[in-house]
Amino acid sequence: MEANLRWTLVTAVAPVSWGTNYFVTHAYLPAGEPLYGAAIRALPAGLLLLAVRRELPRGSWWWRSAVLGLLNTGVFFALVYIAAQTLPTSLASTIMATSPMVMMAVAWGLVAERPHARHLAGAVVGAGGVALMLLGGDASASPGGVIASVAAMLLSSLGYVLAKRWGGEVDLLASTAWQLTAGGLLLLPFAVLVEGAPPSLDGPALLGFAYVAVVATALAFAAWFAGLRHLPAATVGLVGLLNPVTGVLLGTLVAGDVLTVRQFCGLALVLAGVLLGRPAARRAAGVRAFARTARPVR
């Protein structure tokens, strides 16, 4: 039970960091250049982890790193950037909140992790909580933004499960470094062809990219893939719902937003969905441990 809780907390580092990434991106990073934005986010993070681990891919991990790099970082980052520029954050986050259900389906097919009823219930409750917390009547939908957001959700769900299937063969930090580096390198030629010269960055933008690369990418993805290695994909997907929760709470602390009753109810539903995703075997072990230590009242 303690190990399960520890890996859940480690995994939570990722969505919490990604939740802060929305604010940093909107406040400090240049808009309108998604390919450069994705490459500048992925490549430094990958090189940083590569400098720490100092291990190159071997055999099939050369092409696996390229596939995972495109699915989990390169194309995913670019699509998220487009969605962030063309959709309200509330709508984009609500679309991404359906990813736990997609991850469950992909994990069932690729790694034989059959979703339990509590996981499905947690996904429905959590997605409903995100919608209740974020969606309002004025959320306008750009067709291109919706397509980008849905594509990002589908590609990353597939990439995460593939990382879980292949990841046990190699070191965690090394495989994370390879994915990030491959994703960044594969994006650079397209960024040059499509967007021309790199964007000029001022001091705040450089600091913003430093935070995004080190905290919201290198640290976050290492934590996320660690969770995928030690927890069911369904559980990890539900922990990911903490991403929009972080965004809402950050808005109250930084922007002075006031939480409404509807948002409080949404937050409660999201947390309930995350708790429903905890592995049943671990919860049962905890109950048995409590029963062994309990003493009858005399």
Side-chain angles (χ1 to χ4, degrees), residues 228-240:
L228 282 169
R229 190 166 293 191
H230 293 90
L231 298 170
T235 300
V236 175
L238 289 171
V239 172

Side-chain angles (χ1 to χ4, degrees), residues 189-218:
F190 294 97
V192 173
L193 289 173
V194 175
E195 298 174 354
S200 58
L201 303 177
D202 56 12
L206 288 172
L207 291 176
F209 268 122
Y211 173 83
V212 167
V214 176
V215 178
T217 304

Side-chain angles (χ1 to χ4, degrees), residues 12 24 29 36 85 110 120 127-128 143 155 164 167 177 183 203 221 244 286 297:
V24 174
L29 303 189
Y36 270 120
Q85 295 294 322
L110 291 182
L120 296 172
L155 291 178
K164 179 179 181 65
F221 273 88
V297 177

